[in-house]
Amino acid sequence: MSHTALDTDPTQPPPGDDHAFFGQPRGLMTLSGLEVWERFSFLGMQAILVLYFADTVANGGMGMEPGTAASVSAAYGTLVYLVSVAGGWLADRILGSYRAVLYGGVLIACGHYAMAVPTATMTWVGLGLISAGTGLLKPNVATMVGKLYRTDDERRDAGFALYYMGINIGAFLGPLITGWLGDHASWHWGFSAAAFGMTLGLIQYVLGRRHLAGRKNTAEFALAPAPLRRAVRLIALGVVVVAAVATALALAGWLTMDRFVDLLTVVSVITPVVYFVVMFRSPRVTPEERGRLRPYVVLFLASVVFNFILFQAYSTMMLLASTNARTEIFGFHFPASWYASALGAFEVALAPVVAAAWARMGPRQPHASNKIALGVILGGLSFLLMVLPTSGHADDSYRMAAWWIVGSYLLLGLGDILLETSGMSATTKLAPKAFASQTMALWFLSLALANGIQAQIVKLYGEVSNPAYFGVNGAIAVVAGVAVVVAAPWLKRTMHPVH
């Protein structure tokens, strides 16, 4: 019989007795601190990655066309979220949450250090390491936060709010540092800052491990010794075979970057379809649970549409900012990548406002499906806003005022708060009991699918006019959000008891 670390570790104080961090368990400070630095490094690197890809070789970049640069950047995001599904399984069955997060953090740091080396080969090695590390770390940190609280602990929601704020503090600070270094020194100095940030996160994580639930070196639902040995052998064999096949295809000239991007897109489409089919057909899913899965398909697709827009905050929007936007406010000049910090800043500022508004409204607040729909509509409007300043200017030297992109990120940040908080909450409540963990994995797959679709669509960036690109994509998102609003009566009825 499996037990949680809280059951098996008598040296660990009961979480309900720990109020050391703003009334929350002390371990929340350790995990929030790790997320600050992980997001600092991940989004700090992401803010300059597409600019590095698109910059000229003479200037230290990779010399890609803008559409190709955005596509490769999106493919990297697809890989990260696909690996996250495997990361949750490895933590549950083999590594345990603490070791999964630790090993993931080490891989991320090594990846950023690799990218600090100014060669194309080390760039690809670094991105591979960061993808694998983030896949291990990201899905398991949130799980560890949940383990700090007893099921009936009323502090849980407030604790996750503090944790979410830590994520966005890192999202705000990362692009400021990496962007300045990329602009004033070199892109690889920016990647070095990301490596340094992740290293700081790991140090404070290890130093604070005594305050964490699940810190023992055992998986919560560990495989028995014999199946464990078989699983480890299969995983090792799989990694070697995939690496060997990929190398052989690359040397033969078949596995080009474009084909690799296309392959990731296909995988990102097939994987969630398979997940849904298995869940709908499983005899372990009751008819009532199957009825709640149907509205979840709608929420899943809404997440895909919104995140297709959101992730372009670090790809096409960065390219637009670097070529078509002013990089000065009140006479102060700043790197184009600093625009990405606006998104994190808005989410830090708006998250408590939204939470307070819902608390004040109480039972009168909108249904979860309407919150998600509004988030999708705001995402679409953030792109439609870009149609105005990019229209009617034949002169390539024209630069829009900074406030246009800042305003777009304001809409996007508010939409993200509405959709992510409501979507993840609904996911936990609509999940069939037999597939609780896998349903949360589906939420990550919605992010992978959004990036997979983005990897194809962004190839049009630079090939069509900016008003057409942002206008069509934004309009599609708005229409999708309105469709969810129209479906609200059915969603409210089938999502019961989700409010």
Side-chain angles (χ1 to χ4, degrees):
M1 181 176 178
S2 297
H3 298 279
T4 65
L6 288 177
D7 295 325
T8 58
D9 188 354
T11 65
Q12 185 168 314
D17 297 339
D18 186 355
H19 296 77
F21 180 58
F22 295 106
Q24 302 291 330
R26 200 170 303 161
L28 183 64
M29 179 173 67
T30 299
L31 296 174
S32 297
L34 175 66
E35 273 289 12
V36 168
W37 289 112
E38 190 275 331
R39 289 292 92 179
F40 172 95
S41 64
F42 184 83
L43 294 177
M45 184 272 288
Q46 190 108 354
I48 62 174
L49 183 64
V50 71
L51 300 178
Y52 164 64
F53 283 156
D55 203 1
T56 61
V57 174
N59 204 34
M62 298 282 280
M64 296 181 184
E65 291 296 319
T68 303
S71 180
V72 174
S73 181
Y76 158 68
T78 307
L79 188 60
V80 165
Y81 289 110
L82 285 173
V83 175
S84 293
V85 178
W89 183 87
L90 284 170
D92 281 347
R93 301 297 191 216
I94 297 178
L95 296 174
S97 297
Y98 175 78
R99 287 192 300 177
V101 171
L102 177 63
Y103 296 167
V106 170
L107 287 174
I108 292 169
C110 289
H112 286 302
Y113 283 117
M115 291 189 69
V117 179
T119 66
T121 299
M122 293 306 288
T123 294
W124 303 124
V125 169
L127 288 175
L129 290 171
I130 294 168
S131 298
T134 306
L136 270 177
L137 183 147
K138 194 63 182 167
N140 294 307
V141 177
T143 301
M144 292 184 74
V145 172
K147 289 178 181 177
L148 295 172
Y149 303 91
R150 293 190 178 98
T151 305
D152 59 351
D153 195 327
E154 295 180 352
R155 301 175 298 162
R156 179 185 291 265
D157 286 354
F160 269 98
L162 279 174
Y163 168 73
Y164 188 70
M165 188 170 292
I167 290 175
N168 287 305
I169 289 172
F172 167 68
L173 293 175
L176 292 180
I177 305 300
T178 60
W180 190 90
L181 288 170
D183 196 58
H184 289 79
S186 74
W187 300 119
H188 298 284
W189 274 105
F191 300 142
S192 298
F196 180 70
M198 192 64 239
T199 302
L200 289 180
L202 281 172
I203 290 171
Q204 68 89 41
Y205 176 67
V206 172
L207 292 177
R209 68 187 181 279
R210 66 184 182 276
H211 304 302
L212 301 175
R215 68 175 183 271
K216 298 193 72 174
N217 294 332
T218 53
E220 189 170 346
F221 304 100
L223 295 171
L228 176 60
R229 286 192 293 271
R230 284 197 299 271
V232 170
R233 284 197 295 267
L234 283 173
I235 292 170
L237 179 63
V239 170
V240 171
V241 169
V242 169
V245 170
T247 301
L249 291 175
L251 291 175
W254 188 89
L255 187 60
T256 62
M257 180 56 66
D258 283 342
R259 283 177 175 162
F260 181 66
V261 170
D262 294 343
L263 177 63
L264 284 177
T265 297
V266 170
V267 173
S268 74
V269 172
I270 292 174
T271 307
V273 170
V274 170
Y275 253 84
F276 272 118
V277 169
V278 169
M279 289 168 68
F280 272 110
R281 293 185 174 180
S282 173
R284 293 184 294 167
V285 177
T286 67
E288 183 181 355
E289 289 176 330
R290 198 170 288 113
R292 286 200 294 267
L293 269 180
R294 293 188 183 96
Y296 186 69
V297 174
V298 176
L299 304 188
F300 176 90
L301 294 174
S303 173
V304 172
V305 173
F306 175 80
N307 283 292
F308 167 76
I309 301 290
L310 177 68
F311 291 137
Q312 291 191 65
Y314 298 95
S315 60
T316 56
M317 288 292 286
M318 283 293 94
L319 293 170
L320 182 71
S322 67
T323 57
N324 293 80
R326 297 177 190 168
T327 52
E328 64 173 60
I329 294 180
F330 304 129
F332 174 75
H333 290 266
F334 59 90
S337 53
W338 277 20
Y339 278 112
S341 287
L343 189 58
F346 284 134
E347 296 204 18
V348 170
L350 292 173
V353 175
V354 171
W358 298 151
R360 186 178 183 86
M361 294 175 72
R364 295 181 291 108
Q365 64 183 284
H367 186 262
S369 62
N370 283 330
K371 294 177 184 177
I372 290 170
L374 180 56
V376 177
I377 291 170
L378 287 171
L381 291 176
S382 76
F383 259 34
L384 287 177
L385 183 64
M386 289 295 95
V387 174
L388 298 175
T390 58
S391 297
H393 299 286
D395 184 0
D396 290 338
S397 65
Y398 171 76
R399 297 290 184 270
M400 72 178 84
W403 306 114
W404 286 105
I405 293 183
V406 171
S408 176
Y409 281 177
L410 171 61
L411 295 171
L412 198 56
L414 181 57
D416 191 32
I417 293 168
L418 293 174
L419 184 133
E420 288 299 326
T421 53
S422 299
M424 294 189 75
S425 176
T427 297
T428 59
K429 294 173 182 175
L430 295 173
K433 288 183 179 179
F435 289 89
S437 298
Q438 288 94 321
T439 310
M440 186 54 74
L442 263 176
W443 192 254
F444 281 103
L445 286 177
S446 75
L447 308 182
L449 179 53
N451 269 307
I453 295 171
Q454 184 200 164
Q456 302 304 318
I457 301 301
V458 294
K459 293 177 182 178
L460 296 173
Y461 184 80
E463 301 297 321
V464 300
S465 69
N466 285 335
Y469 181 85
F470 290 104
V472 171
N473 285 314
I476 291 172
V478 170
V479 169
V482 171
V484 177
V485 173
V486 172
W490 175 76
L491 290 169
K492 290 177 184 178
R493 192 168 60 251
T494 53
M495 285 175 65
H496 181 77
V498 178
H499 301 295

